Amino acid sequence: MADYTALTEAGTALVELLRDNLTPEPLGNRELINLCSPHESENNQLTLYLYHIEEEAQNLSAGYYSVDSGTERRRPAQYTLHYLMTAHSKAPTQMKEADQQRMMGAAIQTLRDNPVIPRRYLGGSLAAENAQIHVSLDRMPMEQMLKIWNNNSKDYKLSIVVTLTGVTIDSRRERGVKRVTEVIIGSDQKKGEAT
C-alpha cells in the first residue's frame, strides 16, 4: 500500500514525465521543470504547484479490512491532487509570450498523450503498489486562477490546472478482532414453560 509519501511521489512522477518529453525541445535542461510555487520560480521555466488536495469518494474508504486472523486495518483513502502548472520564459520581452505558449503547448500535448502516468515514472510506495495515477487537465474559472495570482505582487503568467487522481494513502490504524470460535444454538427454557 502507498504510504504518506504518495503525495510527493505523485508530483515527482509528473515532473519526470514532463522532463522526459519537454527536453531538449522546447526546454534545453531537465532541471528547469520543478515542483515549486509559481511565485518563487527563480531559474525554473515550468513549475508545478500543488495547491489543492481532496479525498475521493469518502464512503469507499470507510470501514476496515482484514490484515490477518486477529487484525483489521482501516481502509486506505484515495486523493485527487490539483497542480497549477505555469510557464516562465527567460526569453527577451518580445519573444516571451511565444516562448511560454510553446512550453505550455508541449506540456499539454504530453499530458494528453499520457492519460495514465507510465509505471516507469512511479517511485517508492506508488511503484510498490503498482498504482495507476490518472492525469487530466482541469477547467478552472479565470476568476479563481486570478485569485491565486492576486495574492502576490507578481504579474499573472500563463497557467493551467493539472489533476492527478488515484493517489492512495494507506492507514496505520489497526484494531484487534476476536473471531467467533463457538456457536450454541438452543433454548434455556424448560419444557412446558410459557414464553
Side-chain angles (χ1 to χ4, degrees):
M1 292 292 181
D3 205 358
Y4 65 90
T5 56
L7 301 180
T8 302
E9 293 164 2
T12 301
L14 180 59
V15 166
E16 290 303 317
L17 170 67
L18 291 167
R19 284 176 172 176
D20 276 359
N21 288 278
L22 271 64
T23 56
E25 181 59 38
L27 297 172
N29 184 343
R30 297 172 54 81
E31 304 308 315
L32 298 175
I33 303 171
N34 280 299
L35 292 171
C36 69
S37 166
H39 305 302
E40 301 165 1
S41 62
E42 297 174 10
N43 293 326
N44 298 304
Q45 288 191 283
L46 193 68
T47 58
L48 290 142
Y49 174 60
L50 178 59
Y51 74 92
H52 184 67
I53 302 169
E54 61 185 304
E55 189 172 354
E56 298 175 18
Q58 292 179 347
N59 52 346
L60 294 178
S61 63
Y64 287 76
Y65 68 95
S66 180
V67 175
D68 57 41
S69 63
T71 309
E72 289 183 338
R73 179 177 290 151
R74 189 171 182 192
R75 294 195 181 283
Q78 279 197 335
Y79 296 92
T80 297
L81 312 180
H82 300 274
Y83 291 86
L84 185 69
M85 184 167 65
T86 306
H88 308 269
S89 176
K90 307 300 180 196
T93 305
Q94 65 273 20
M95 296 168 43
K96 193 171 281 205
E97 288 300 318
D99 191 38
Q100 290 177 165
Q101 290 171 23
R102 199 169 60 254
M103 284 186 272
M104 290 301 261
I108 289 169
Q109 182 181 51
T110 297
L111 298 176
R112 297 258 309 145
D113 287 348
N114 294 278
V116 176
I117 294 180
R119 288 207 168 116
R120 68 182 175 271
Y121 296 111
L122 299 179
S125 61
L126 291 181
E129 78 162 12
N130 290 320
Q132 280 204 338
I133 308 300
H134 294 265
V135 182
S136 63
L137 300 179
D138 230 3
R139 291 184 184 185
M140 178 188 276
M142 194 60 184
E143 299 81 32
Q144 191 175 354
M145 187 81 76
L146 290 174
K147 281 181 186 177
I148 293 173
W149 283 96
N150 285 340
N151 290 335
N152 194 298
S153 60
K154 301 196 181 221
D155 292 335
Y156 173 82
K157 292 185 180 177
L158 182 60
S159 302
I160 60 172
V161 174
V162 178
T163 300
L164 300 185
T165 56
V167 178
T168 304
I169 298 179
D170 197 24
S171 176
R172 291 183 179 170
R173 177 171 280 180
E174 293 182 346
R175 65 183 181 188
V177 292
K178 291 184 179 178
R179 300 294 177 205
V180 175
T181 58
E182 184 179 332
V183 176
I184 299 173
I185 300 174
S187 172
D188 288 341
Q189 296 177 345
K190 295 180 183 176
K191 288 185 180 181
E193 286 185 357
T195 55

